[in-house]
């Protein structure tokens, strides 16, 4: 019986993950692009085309949805892991868009195990949202549920990109289509026949006016796009492990945000995947023990797209001002993002569940010019002070923010290149975050460009 572990048999962690600590759009794309320089591969492990990651290089803006942000570095491997749900048409569109701009995408690999988002998933996503909206409108604001203090049903405010229905099919199994299936005509026909038999009655009930799904047409479309993408489809688990055996470093790119995580987020106002760092294992086949660095990205304030509680939301002129200065309009849907003060209860929780080893603080420049900054350090729930983030949306909806006030800073920050160049008010804000979250701020970002970044 061995009495001790042999340290030599334990592979040293050589990988990093970039993960959002709020409700998405924290600036993960920018940070992944930055860190990619130091890694051999960039890998997506969750989400799908609901993600919108912007990278600005020398004034040129790139918006990426499915392709890892590291693609902008020539010679890097870019991998879409098995945990991603791939809309193959959106992916082809994104590849074409990058090719037109001269970006080499030949290093892209797509997991054969990743599930495909098909047209009927997107249709279902939209129809479910419409239904929830209708039901919600019938109940609010004075319906019977309201009288009992329940949170009314409402649409989730999804991106309508078919994410939830595709993940649901993955768990249902028999009818789900993996990327490998798109090149197996007989297998695909079988799966689609089951899928259509299951989906048609529901789609008919929700949208009688929609034309019926026809198997030959759905099959032909799926095979055509499968043929286009098949050269990139492979066993990415083996591919990544071969890289690790060669001593290569891998960077994992989280999509969406920790508060949108299907288990740990503000359920049910969440997305369908594991967004937090531990999603790397199931979403790529690379064990999470390989992660040496967990970089949590957070904005200097809060934003959220879609429905669900947001205790620090600013539904006023100040919120509008921050939205405009921070260009807070969705990269994927163009929707205006809800804006609020920094919520440290939420960020502390996210840092904890991710095991964040460092923080990248973005959008600090957006707060310049405000006389006073408010920071939510705790909630009040039914007269009690609470410092722990509640487990779901219904509990969070009852939370009132308790604010600490801080003096603002007048100076614009876009030209700062060293942390010590930041005005005293901005430095105090960064130090306050480190103290409150208990994780070092390793990166401060003061603008969208690669160059507008301070690394300590
Ligand atoms: P992601 O989904 O987390 O990758 O974030 P998005 O790309 O959807 O949204 C972040 C937006 O903020 C993008 O438009 C970025 O170009 C921009 N951005 C990133 N960092 C900063 C920053 O420090 N300051 C400002 N003003 N904009 C930033
Ligand atoms: P990135 O990677 C912001 C939100 C949607 C909606 C909820 C569920 O750019 O940070 P879904 O379509 O996933 O079923 O929608 O999740 N959402 C995001 N919000 N940024 C994202 O991604 C998001 N991905 C999903 O707005 O509220
Ligand atoms: Mg985004």
């Amino acid at each position: 019986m061995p009495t001790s572990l042999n340290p030599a048999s334990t592979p040293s962690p050589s990988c990093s993950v970039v993960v959002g600590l709020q409700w998405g759009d924290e600036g993960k794309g920018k940070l992944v692009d930055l860190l990619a320089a130091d890694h051999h591969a960039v890998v997506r492990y969750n989400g799908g085309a609901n993600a919108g990651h912007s990278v600005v290089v020398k004034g040129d803006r790139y918006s990426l949805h499915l392709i890892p942000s590291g693609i902008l570095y020539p010679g890097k491997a870019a991998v879409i892991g098995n945990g991603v749900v791939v809309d193959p048409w959106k992916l082809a569109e994104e590849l074409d868009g990058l090719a037109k701009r001269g970006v080499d995408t030949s290093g892209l690999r797509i997991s054969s195990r990743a599930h495909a988002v098909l047209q009927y998933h997107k249709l279902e996503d939209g129809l479910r949202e419409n239904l929830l909206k209708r039901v919600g409108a019938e109940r609010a604001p004075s319906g019977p549920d309201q009288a009992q203090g329940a949170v009314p049903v409402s649409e989730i405010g999804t991106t309508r990109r078919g994410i939830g229905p595709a993940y649901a099919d993955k768990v249902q199994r028999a009818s789900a289509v993996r990327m490998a299936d798109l090149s197996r005509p007989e297998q695909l026909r079988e799966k689609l026949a089951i899928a259509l038999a299951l989906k048609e009655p529901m789609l008919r009930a929700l949208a009688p006016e929609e034309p019926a799904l026809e198997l030959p047409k759905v099959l032909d479309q799926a095979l055509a796009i499968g043929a286009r993408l098949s050269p990139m489809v492979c066993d990415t688990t083996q591919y990544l492990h071969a890289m690790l055996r060669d001593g290569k470093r891998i960077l994992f790119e989280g999509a969406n945000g920790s508060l949108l995580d299907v288990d740990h987020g503000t359920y049910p106002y969440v997305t369908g995947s594991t967004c937090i760092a531990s999603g790397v294992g199931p979403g790529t086949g690379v064990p999470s023990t390989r992660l040496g660095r967990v970089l949590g990205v957070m904005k200097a304030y809060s934003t959220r797209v879609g429905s669900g509680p947001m205790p620090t939301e600013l539904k006023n002129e100040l919120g509008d001002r921050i939205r405009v200065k921070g260009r807070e309009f969705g990269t994927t849907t163009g929707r205006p993002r809800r804006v609020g003060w920094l919520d440290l209860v939420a960020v502390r929780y996210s840092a904890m569940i991710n095991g964040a080893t460092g923080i990248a603080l973005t959008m600090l420049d957006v707060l310049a010019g405000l006389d006073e900054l408010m920071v939510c350090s705790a909630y009040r729930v039914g007269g009690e002070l609470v410092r722990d983030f509640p487990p779901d949306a219904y509990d969070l909806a009852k939370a009132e923010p308790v604010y600490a006030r801080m003096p603002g800073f007048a100076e614009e920050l876009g030209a700062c290149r060293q942390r010590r160049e930041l005005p005293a008010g901005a430095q105090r804000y960064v130090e306050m975050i480190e103290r409150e979250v208990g994780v070092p701020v390793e990166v401060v970002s003061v603008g969208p460009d690669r160059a507008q970044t301070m690394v300590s």
Side-chain angles (χ1 to χ4, degrees), residues 24-25 28 51-53 331 337:
D25 303 326
K28 299 177 292 293
H53 297 177
T331 310
R337 296 174 183 149

mmCIF file with all atom_site columns, all heavy atoms in Angstrom, residues 24-25 28 51-53 331 337, ligand 3:
data_model
loop_
_atom_site.group_PDB
_atom_site.id
_atom_site.type_symbol
_atom_site.label_atom_id
_atom_site.label_alt_id
_atom_site.label_comp_id
_atom_site.label_asym_id
_atom_site.label_entity_id
_atom_site.label_seq_id
_atom_site.pdbx_PDB_ins_code
_atom_site.Cartn_x
_atom_site.Cartn_y
_atom_site.Cartn_z
_atom_site.occupancy
_atom_site.B_iso_or_equiv
_atom_site.pdbx_formal_charge
_atom_site.auth_seq_id
_atom_site.auth_comp_id
_atom_site.auth_asym_id
_atom_site.auth_atom_id
_atom_site.pdbx_PDB_model_num
ATOM   1  N  N   . GLY A 1 24  ? -21.356 38.443 -17.612 1.00 0.00 ? 24  GLY A N   1
ATOM   2  C  CA  . GLY A 1 24  ? -20.883 38.437 -18.994 1.00 0.00 ? 24  GLY A CA  1
ATOM   3  C  C   . GLY A 1 24  ? -20.412 39.819 -19.433 1.00 0.00 ? 24  GLY A C   1
ATOM   4  O  O   . GLY A 1 24  ? -20.592 40.824 -18.734 1.00 0.00 ? 24  GLY A O   1
ATOM   5  N  N   . ASP A 1 25  ? -19.743 39.848 -20.584 1.00 0.00 ? 25  ASP A N   1
ATOM   6  C  CA  . ASP A 1 25  ? -19.264 41.098 -21.198 1.00 0.00 ? 25  ASP A CA  1
ATOM   7  C  C   . ASP A 1 25  ? -18.285 41.862 -20.324 1.00 0.00 ? 25  ASP A C   1
ATOM   8  O  O   . ASP A 1 25  ? -18.219 43.091 -20.374 1.00 0.00 ? 25  ASP A O   1
ATOM   9  C  CB  . ASP A 1 25  ? -20.458 42.017 -21.557 1.00 0.00 ? 25  ASP A CB  1
ATOM   10 C  CG  . ASP A 1 25  ? -21.440 41.338 -22.482 1.00 0.00 ? 25  ASP A CG  1
ATOM   11 O  OD1 . ASP A 1 25  ? -21.003 40.537 -23.329 1.00 0.00 ? 25  ASP A OD1 1
ATOM   12 O  OD2 . ASP A 1 25  ? -22.653 41.601 -22.347 1.00 0.00 ? 25  ASP A OD2 1
ATOM   13 N  N   . LYS A 1 28  ? -13.639 39.725 -21.393 1.00 0.00 ? 28  LYS A N   1
ATOM   14 C  CA  . LYS A 1 28  ? -12.859 38.473 -21.469 1.00 0.00 ? 28  LYS A CA  1
ATOM   15 C  C   . LYS A 1 28  ? -12.078 38.394 -22.772 1.00 0.00 ? 28  LYS A C   1
ATOM   16 O  O   . LYS A 1 28  ? -10.926 37.972 -22.788 1.00 0.00 ? 28  LYS A O   1
ATOM   17 C  CB  . LYS A 1 28  ? -13.803 37.253 -21.348 1.00 0.00 ? 28  LYS A CB  1
ATOM   18 C  CG  . LYS A 1 28  ? -14.564 37.196 -20.046 1.00 0.00 ? 28  LYS A CG  1
ATOM   19 C  CD  . LYS A 1 28  ? -15.527 36.031 -20.016 1.00 0.00 ? 28  LYS A CD  1
ATOM   20 C  CE  . LYS A 1 28  ? -16.686 36.174 -20.983 1.00 0.00 ? 28  LYS A CE  1
ATOM   21 N  NZ  . LYS A 1 28  ? -17.639 37.240 -20.683 1.00 0.00 ? 28  LYS A NZ  1
ATOM   22 N  N   . ALA A 1 51  ? -22.186 34.097 -27.007 1.00 0.00 ? 51  ALA A N   1
ATOM   23 C  CA  . ALA A 1 51  ? -21.042 34.902 -26.585 1.00 0.00 ? 51  ALA A CA  1
ATOM   24 C  C   . ALA A 1 51  ? -20.727 35.951 -27.647 1.00 0.00 ? 51  ALA A C   1
ATOM   25 O  O   . ALA A 1 51  ? -20.895 35.707 -28.842 1.00 0.00 ? 51  ALA A O   1
ATOM   26 C  CB  . ALA A 1 51  ? -19.827 34.007 -26.365 1.00 0.00 ? 51  ALA A CB  1
ATOM   27 N  N   . GLY A 1 52  ? -20.262 37.093 -27.188 1.00 0.00 ? 52  GLY A N   1
ATOM   28 C  CA  . GLY A 1 52  ? -19.759 38.116 -28.100 1.00 0.00 ? 52  GLY A CA  1
ATOM   29 C  C   . GLY A 1 52  ? -18.524 38.693 -27.466 1.00 0.00 ? 52  GLY A C   1
ATOM   30 O  O   . GLY A 1 52  ? -18.615 39.373 -26.452 1.00 0.00 ? 52  GLY A O   1
ATOM   31 N  N   . HIS A 1 53  ? -17.366 38.349 -28.019 1.00 0.00 ? 53  HIS A N   1
ATOM   32 C  CA  . HIS A 1 53  ? -16.104 38.785 -27.430 1.00 0.00 ? 53  HIS A CA  1
ATOM   33 C  C   . HIS A 1 53  ? -15.424 39.763 -28.379 1.00 0.00 ? 53  HIS A C   1
ATOM   34 O  O   . HIS A 1 53  ? -15.098 39.407 -29.506 1.00 0.00 ? 53  HIS A O   1
ATOM   35 C  CB  . HIS A 1 53  ? -15.198 37.579 -27.151 1.00 0.00 ? 53  HIS A CB  1
ATOM   36 C  CG  . HIS A 1 53  ? -15.783 36.619 -26.150 1.00 0.00 ? 53  HIS A CG  1
ATOM   37 N  ND1 . HIS A 1 53  ? -15.186 35.444 -25.789 1.00 0.00 ? 53  HIS A ND1 1
ATOM   38 C  CD2 . HIS A 1 53  ? -16.922 36.682 -25.410 1.00 0.00 ? 53  HIS A CD2 1
ATOM   39 C  CE1 . HIS A 1 53  ? -15.938 34.829 -24.880 1.00 0.00 ? 53  HIS A CE1 1
ATOM   40 N  NE2 . HIS A 1 53  ? -16.993 35.557 -24.655 1.00 0.00 ? 53  HIS A NE2 1
ATOM   41 N  N   . THR A 1 331 ? -22.623 42.886 -27.864 1.00 0.00 ? 331 THR A N   1
ATOM   42 C  CA  . THR A 1 331 ? -21.824 42.516 -29.037 1.00 0.00 ? 331 THR A CA  1
ATOM   43 C  C   . THR A 1 331 ? -22.599 41.522 -29.906 1.00 0.00 ? 331 THR A C   1
ATOM   44 O  O   . THR A 1 331 ? -22.426 41.477 -31.112 1.00 0.00 ? 331 THR A O   1
ATOM   45 C  CB  . THR A 1 331 ? -20.499 41.848 -28.559 1.00 0.00 ? 331 THR A CB  1
ATOM   46 O  OG1 . THR A 1 331 ? -19.907 42.691 -27.578 1.00 0.00 ? 331 THR A OG1 1
ATOM   47 C  CG2 . THR A 1 331 ? -19.525 41.634 -29.683 1.00 0.00 ? 331 THR A CG2 1
ATOM   48 N  N   . ARG A 1 337 ? -27.237 47.204 -22.528 1.00 0.00 ? 337 ARG A N   1
ATOM   49 C  CA  . ARG A 1 337 ? -26.997 46.439 -21.302 1.00 0.00 ? 337 ARG A CA  1
ATOM   50 C  C   . ARG A 1 337 ? -27.520 47.229 -20.100 1.00 0.00 ? 337 ARG A C   1
ATOM   51 O  O   . ARG A 1 337 ? -27.394 48.454 -20.068 1.00 0.00 ? 337 ARG A O   1
ATOM   52 C  CB  . ARG A 1 337 ? -25.503 46.176 -21.134 1.00 0.00 ? 337 ARG A CB  1
ATOM   53 C  CG  . ARG A 1 337 ? -24.934 45.310 -22.239 1.00 0.00 ? 337 ARG A CG  1
ATOM   54 C  CD  . ARG A 1 337 ? -23.408 45.180 -22.121 1.00 0.00 ? 337 ARG A CD  1
ATOM   55 N  NE  . ARG A 1 337 ? -22.867 44.414 -23.232 1.00 0.00 ? 337 ARG A NE  1
ATOM   56 C  CZ  . ARG A 1 337 ? -21.653 44.607 -23.754 1.00 0.00 ? 337 ARG A CZ  1
ATOM   57 N  NH1 . ARG A 1 337 ? -20.862 45.533 -23.271 1.00 0.00 ? 337 ARG A NH1 1
ATOM   58 N  NH2 . ARG A 1 337 ? -21.241 43.857 -24.761 1.00 0.00 ? 337 ARG A NH2 1
HETATM 59 MG MG1 . LIG B 2 .   ? -19.684 39.777 -24.663 1.00 0.00 ? 3   LIG B MG1 1
#
